[in-house]
């Protein structure tokens, strides 16, 4: 399989930085374009004391920082911010900007939490028009050693 475009959706959780590093390494090794995506989901309006600039500007700045990080490794990077339900918009983006691979972080929720909150990664895997790679980001010492 030849990779030309890797789509990497980000939610800006603590798992995002390691996910971008993983995606950057993969894109650099294959010569693929890296497309970083953030989905703005509907949120209840909450007054935030001390917010000095709009939240969407913060999101754009975070995406720009991740883009710069990947470009410094020689990777061609594009970014997008869309609105809607995360899983639906990730799959739609993979169709709008044809992706060969969606590289998505898995938070590892199970049981009741997953049932109540749903799983964006699971929905993407089930409905994606291309291959998907779930990356469970954890500390290096948390990965299992193979025997």
């Amino acid at each position: 399989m030849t990779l030309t475009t890797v789509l990497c959706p980000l939610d800006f959780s603590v798992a995002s930085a390691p996910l971008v590093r993983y995606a950057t390494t993969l894109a650099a090794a294959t010569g693929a374009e890296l497309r970083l995506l953030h989905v703005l989901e509907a949120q209840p309006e909450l007054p935030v004391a001390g917010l000095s600039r709009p939240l969407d500007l913060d999101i754009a700045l975070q995406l720009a920082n991740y883009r710069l990080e990947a470009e410094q490794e020689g990777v061609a990077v594009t970014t997008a911010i869309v609105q809607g339900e995360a899983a639906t918009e990730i799959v739609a983006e993979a169709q709008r900007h044809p992706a060969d691979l969606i590289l998505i972080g898995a938070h590892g929720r199970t049981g009741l939490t997953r049932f109540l909150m749903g799983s964006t990664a699971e929905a993407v895997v089930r409905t994606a028009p291309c291959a998907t790679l779930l990356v469970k980001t954890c500390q290096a010492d948390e990965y299992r050693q193979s025997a």
Side-chain angles (χ1 to χ4, degrees), residues 28-139:
T30 61
E33 170 194 346
L34 177 58
R35 184 149 179 91
L36 302 176
L37 171 71
H38 178 71
V39 179
L40 293 169
E41 291 191 291
Q43 300 290 328
E45 295 297 321
L46 297 174
V48 180
L51 187 64
S52 60
R53 59 181 176 230
L55 195 55
D56 56 345
L57 181 57
D58 289 337
I59 290 168
L61 287 172
Q62 287 179 299
L63 263 181
N65 287 334
Y66 286 134
R67 178 183 187 151
L68 181 60
E69 179 182 315
E71 287 175 338
Q72 289 174 340
E73 298 299 320
V75 174
V77 183
T78 58
T79 60
I81 300 172
V82 297
Q83 289 186 317
E85 191 274 323
T88 302
E89 291 303 321
I90 291 166
V91 170
E93 184 70 15
Q95 294 168 331
R96 280 190 299 265
H97 192 90
D100 302 299
L101 177 69
I102 299 172
L103 193 135
I104 189 168
H107 292 288
R109 293 186 188 107
T110 59
L112 184 59
T113 303
R114 183 168 154 226
F115 176 74
L116 293 174
M117 298 180 72
S119 172
T120 298
E122 179 188 11
V124 169
V125 168
R126 282 188 290 106
T127 59
C130 59
T132 57
L133 177 60
L134 288 159
V135 178
K136 185 174 180 183
T137 53
C138 59
Q139 299 298 326

Side-chain angles (χ1 to χ4, degrees), residues 15-38:
S16 292
L19 183 62
V20 170
R21 285 192 296 275
Y22 192 100
T24 298
T25 301
L26 180 63
T30 61
E33 170 194 346
L34 177 58
R35 184 149 179 91
L36 302 176
L37 171 71
H38 178 71

